[in-house]
């Protein structure tokens, strides 16, 4: 189990220490992030196009205006693993499997991904104005649009549980987002397709009530 306790707050430490009992092994099908993106994410999962994650913009194929994004930022994963730079981390087998996990990948407009890719998620005040695609943002945090808050919460919970990563958003926020925005048909369909491709499901999508267990770990 990998968990960097020095960087955890009190509730993150509790979550990390409970990781062995609560966690599960990650996907073991894909270990080449770049190849997974090109050959699986775009050519199989989104072969017929779809809609971008944050903005809901329809696309028929990948162009230079659309890229893959990561709900749980890869930079945060590299920081937790302390594997070094991007090129150094790409030599770390554990990192390669995590970075290849399709449950964490989303199609996103390139301009949005450049803007928000390393930000943490938070519930910001209404005084913070909405920006592109109804995203609220500060220099280090973003609040996603209401339509995908549940998707974000369930993906973050999955990554934290599966790979014993720090839960960088307060559990109460993730639970609320998931409750307010339960899985819709599209999210369920994508989850099934990913399970068929890489062999594991996101349990927070198939049973959203599981996300309440996060609070149990931090009491």
């Amino acid at each position: 189990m990998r968990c960097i306790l020095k960087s955890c707050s009190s509730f993150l430490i509790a979550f990390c220490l409970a990781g062995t009992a609560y966690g599960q092994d990650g996907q073991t099908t894909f270990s080449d992030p770049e190849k997974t993106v090109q050959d699986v994410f775009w050519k199989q999962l989104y072969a017929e196009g779809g809609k971008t994650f944050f903005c809901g913009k329809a696309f028929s194929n990948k162009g230079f205006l659309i890229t893959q994004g990561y709900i749980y930022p890869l930079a945060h994963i590299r920081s937790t693993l302390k594997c070094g730079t991007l090129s150094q981390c790409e030599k770390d087998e554990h990192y390669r499997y995590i970075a290849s996990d399709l449950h964490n990948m989303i199609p996103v407009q390139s301009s949005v991904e450049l803007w928000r890719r390393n930000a943490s998620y938070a519930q910001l005040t209404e005084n913070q104005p909405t920006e592109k695609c109804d995203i609220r943002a500060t220099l280090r945090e973003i609040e996603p649009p209401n339509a995908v808050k549940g998707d974000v919460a369930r993906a973050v919970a999955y990554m934290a549980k599966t790979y014993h990563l720090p839960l960088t958003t307060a559990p109460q926020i993730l639970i609320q987002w998931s409750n307010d925005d339960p899985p819709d048909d599209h999210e369920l369909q994508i989850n099934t397709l990913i399970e068929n491709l890489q062999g594991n499901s996101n349990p927070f999508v198939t049973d959203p009530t599981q996300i309440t267990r996060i609070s149990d770990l931090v009491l």
Side-chain angles (χ1 to χ4, degrees):
M1 170 181 154
R2 290 173 179 256
C3 184
I4 309 304
L5 298 180
K6 291 181 180 179
S7 63
C8 294
S9 67
S10 59
F11 74 81
L12 295 185
I13 290 175
F15 186 90
C16 292
L17 289 176
T20 300
Y22 188 56
Q24 66 180 31
D25 291 336
Q27 68 87 18
T28 58
T29 302
F30 306 119
S31 61
D32 185 328
E34 184 175 348
K35 185 175 178 62
T36 302
V37 167
Q38 298 301 325
D39 295 346
V40 185
F41 182 77
W42 290 119
K43 294 183 180 179
Q44 297 184 57
L45 191 58
Y46 286 97
E48 298 180 1
K51 291 184 178 181
T52 60
F53 184 75
F54 292 101
C55 301
K57 181 178 177 60
F59 65 93
S60 57
N61 53 65
K62 184 190 180 305
F64 68 91
L65 295 179
I66 307 291
T67 188
Q68 80 283 355
Y70 300 87
I71 294 180
Y72 195 111
L74 297 187
H76 294 188
I77 296 170
R78 293 193 293 270
S79 177
T80 297
L81 298 183
K82 296 191 180 298
C83 53
T85 64
L86 174 58
S87 60
Q88 290 171 329
C89 287
E90 287 176 341
K91 299 175 184 177
D92 183 308
E93 183 179 35
H94 186 53
Y95 173 79
R96 291 199 305 272
Y97 278 108
I98 299 175
S100 299
D101 196 313
L102 294 169
H103 285 298
N104 192 39
M105 295 184 192
I106 49 173
V108 62
Q109 291 171 240
S110 300
S111 59
V112 174
E113 181 63 9
L114 286 172
W115 171 44
R116 67 102 232 164
R117 62 183 174 185
N118 292 331
S120 297
Y121 301 104
Q123 184 72 41
L124 302 177
T125 67
E126 293 186 0
N127 292 332
Q128 189 68 35
T130 57
E131 301 188 40
K132 187 172 184 178
C133 303
D134 292 328
I135 296 173
R136 284 191 170 96
T138 64
L139 289 177
R140 297 181 179 274
E141 297 178 321
I142 70 163
E143 179 185 336
N146 290 335
V148 296
K149 280 182 176 177
D151 306 58
V152 168
R154 289 181 285 274
V156 168
Y158 164 84
M159 293 298 288
K161 171 191 174 183
T162 304
Y163 298 107
H164 312 297
L165 298 169
L167 196 62
T168 56
T169 303
Q172 294 83 355
I173 292 176
L174 298 181
I175 293 169
Q176 187 64 54
W177 286 0
S178 185
N179 289 340
D180 290 345
D181 175 35
D184 58 17
D185 290 342
H186 177 263
E187 187 179 358
L188 291 168
Q189 180 184 27
I190 290 294
N191 183 65
T192 299
L193 291 173
I194 292 175
E195 183 177 12
N196 292 337
L197 289 168
Q198 75 176 25
N200 72 320
S201 174
N202 181 343
F204 298 102
V205 174
T206 56
D207 180 10
T209 63
Q210 286 198 36
I211 203 166
T212 61
R213 294 182 63 191
I214 292 176
S215 289
D216 296 338
L217 293 172
V218 301
L219 293 175

